Amino acid sequence: MAGTAVAASAWLPSAPCTPQVCVQSTRSAAAAPRAVLRLVAVLVTVVVGVVLMPAVARIAAARRDRIIRAWCRTVVRASGVRIRMTGDAPPTGGLLLVANHISWLDIPLLAAVRPSRMLAKAEIRQWPVAGALTARSGALFIERDRLRALPRTVERIADTLRDGAAVVVFPEGSTWCGRAQGHFRRAVFQAALDAGVPVQPVRLHYRLDGGAVSTAPAFVGSDSLLTSVWRVVSARGVVAEVGVRPVLAPGSAPDRRALARAAETATGLRTGANAQGGAYH
């Protein structure tokens, strides 16, 4: 996720997007009271989730997943963002979920698709509230500036997939503003090949009620988490579109490069394709 920009590398890419150049806010002074109420609602919802997480973990898997999906949708809606989800429900068992990356909202939105373990940068551990929540969710933390750690990271992802869990990865390696996007890095796709599990591409997009692209949810460049959250709760008429694309079955691509390209194409980032299918949540 976003943070201070650093030099790009094979494992630590960075986007050129910055809040000063790319992000357009729709907030106004008159919206401040509503924004405060939304912020309080988000914090209360998150804290309640953190407190109840140990109890929810002991519930049967199917019911637990329904609760997590509902809670994640509530977090997004509490921030004032409506959700439009299209496509078929993802399969059970080991699954690599991959999506383009724009906002901190992407995380609860993908958990609303299917509760998963997230591949997260190690720095998130230090974030207030979000760090504890991410750690308790079973995230796989990585040190992105250590290229030598990449093979071990891929191995850990593959082991988790073999155990039947879903893992969420943002293969662009950085957040983008929503008007521009990066390429899917191929390394993490090796884990799906090694584990013999399908890949589930998901397209994330934020719009205003009128249909225009909204960059208010973007969490890019030097943005702090609090700044980004405040911009979201201050915005009006933002809709999060979550397009669940057809799954890429094991063996559908000969290598990780082809699999990464197929997943990127499936999200429509290069073709502008629109999601099809009805809402399933």
Side-chain angles (χ1 to χ4, degrees):
M1 295 182 65
T4 302
V6 295
S9 72
W11 182 232
L12 187 55
S14 62
C17 302
T18 65
Q20 295 79 16
V21 175
C22 302
V23 178
Q24 295 177 334
S25 176
T26 59
R27 66 189 178 191
S28 65
R34 181 183 63 238
V36 170
L37 290 175
R38 287 176 175 175
L39 181 59
V40 171
V42 170
L43 291 176
V44 169
T45 304
V46 170
V47 170
V48 168
V50 172
V51 171
L52 295 180
M53 192 174 292
V56 172
R58 294 193 291 268
I59 298 175
R63 186 182 177 194
R64 180 177 66 241
D65 285 356
R66 287 196 297 271
I67 292 173
I68 293 174
R69 287 192 181 100
W71 176 69
C72 290
R73 290 195 296 269
T74 301
V75 170
V76 176
R77 289 168 177 162
S79 70
V81 176
R82 292 177 15 228
I83 305 172
R84 178 177 179 266
M85 194 174 293
T86 57
D88 297 326
T92 58
L95 181 70
L96 185 70
L97 277 85
V98 296
N100 58 304
H101 201 9
I102 300 171
S103 173
W104 55 271
L105 286 167
D106 300 347
I107 297 170
L109 286 171
L110 288 175
V113 171
R114 179 178 165 183
S116 311
R117 297 183 68 178
M118 184 180 69
L119 185 66
K121 64 182 183 180
E123 302 94 291
I124 290 180
R125 288 180 187 268
Q126 309 305 319
W127 290 5
V129 182
L133 179 60
T134 303
R136 290 192 184 186
S137 71
L140 302 172
F141 288 102
I142 60 171
E143 296 180 36
R144 298 192 309 159
D145 56 347
R146 292 183 59 218
L147 189 57
R148 291 182 180 179
L150 179 55
R152 176 55 185 156
T153 298
V154 172
E155 182 180 339
R156 288 174 59 207
I157 297 171
D159 288 343
T160 303
L161 295 172
R162 290 189 190 98
D163 288 341
V167 177
V168 166
V169 175
F170 298 107
E172 290 170 299
S174 181
T175 47
W176 292 69
C177 67
R179 296 184 185 275
Q181 59 278 321
H183 289 289
F184 279 8
R185 306 282 169 148
R186 60 184 181 271
V188 292
F189 291 91
Q190 187 63 48
L193 294 173
D194 293 345
V197 302
V199 173
Q200 178 71 76
V202 179
R203 168 73 184 275
L204 300 173
H205 197 57
Y206 297 92
R207 294 185 181 275
L208 298 176
D209 279 335
V213 174
S214 173
T215 57
F219 183 27
V220 294
S222 59
D223 255 349
S224 69
L225 180 60
L226 181 58
T227 298
S228 181
V229 171
W230 181 254
R231 188 166 57 240
V232 169
V233 298
S234 300
R236 298 188 63 180
V238 177
V239 179
E241 297 182 345
V242 184
V244 182
R245 306 307 203 203
V247 70
L248 302 176
S252 61
D255 54 39
R256 64 189 185 187
R257 183 187 298 271
L259 188 56
R261 187 181 304 115
E264 184 178 325
T265 300
T267 62
L269 293 179
R270 298 287 169 247
T271 65
N274 294 318
Q276 299 294 326
Y280 65 81
H281 69 296

